[in-house]
Amino acid sequence: QVQVVESGGDLVQPGGSLRLSCEVSGSALSTKAMYWYRRAPGKQRELVAGLAPDDITTYADNVKGRFTISRDKAKNAGFLQMTNLKPDDTAIYYCQIIDGIRHYWGQGTQVTVSS
């Protein structure tokens, strides 16, 4: 059974940085597509970043140049490095793993950007 667990969310001041982690068990992350989504209060879920098995990355326009998605094959974990955080980045962040037709989600981790 595939399990996905996010961590690393926190309260941070504007301009600060955070690194979110996505720990995966039950499946080799290196051969799967991984995505980070977020849901802000009162808003729909939005795609933040994606990492394909061939290492091609995609980013939402509003995070390009500030966020970096990556994975560590040895740890079977994915990451979202976030810099220059803004209040609009406040949301619950979710990691999604796609294995064929199956989609696996974690429980989310809260990121709050506020002074």
Side-chain angles (χ1 to χ4, degrees), residues 32-110:
K32 310 296 185 295
M34 177 181 71
Y35 297 92
W36 284 95
Y37 287 81
R38 66 186 181 188
R39 187 191 297 274
K43 295 185 179 180
Q44 291 187 331
R45 184 179 64 194
E46 67 169 334
L47 175 64
V48 176
L51 178 59
D54 59 1
D55 292 337
I56 293 177
T57 58
T58 57
Y59 295 96
D61 287 342
N62 55 5
V63 306
K64 279 181 182 177
R66 300 190 297 123
F67 290 11
T68 303
I69 189 171
S70 64
R71 63 170 156 245
D72 184 322
K73 295 178 182 180
K75 295 181 179 179
N76 208 43
F79 306 97
L80 184 68
Q81 179 68 48
M82 306 185 294
T83 62
N84 191 21
L85 283 161
K86 304 175 181 180
D88 283 349
D89 295 318
T90 295
I92 300 174
Y93 284 71
Y94 299 91
C95 179
Q96 180 198 43
I97 306 300
I98 297 180
D99 183 2
I101 61 171
R102 295 183 175 87
H103 296 192
Y104 300 95
W105 294 86
Q107 81 291 346
T109 186
Q110 176 70 49

Side-chain angles (χ1 to χ4, degrees), residues 1-4 23-32 75-77 97-99 104:
Q1 183 178 355
V2 178
Q3 290 189 322
V4 179
E23 296 184 8
V24 180
S25 59
S27 181
L29 182 58
S30 61
T31 60
K32 310 296 185 295
K75 295 181 179 179
N76 208 43
I97 306 300
I98 297 180
D99 183 2
Y104 300 95

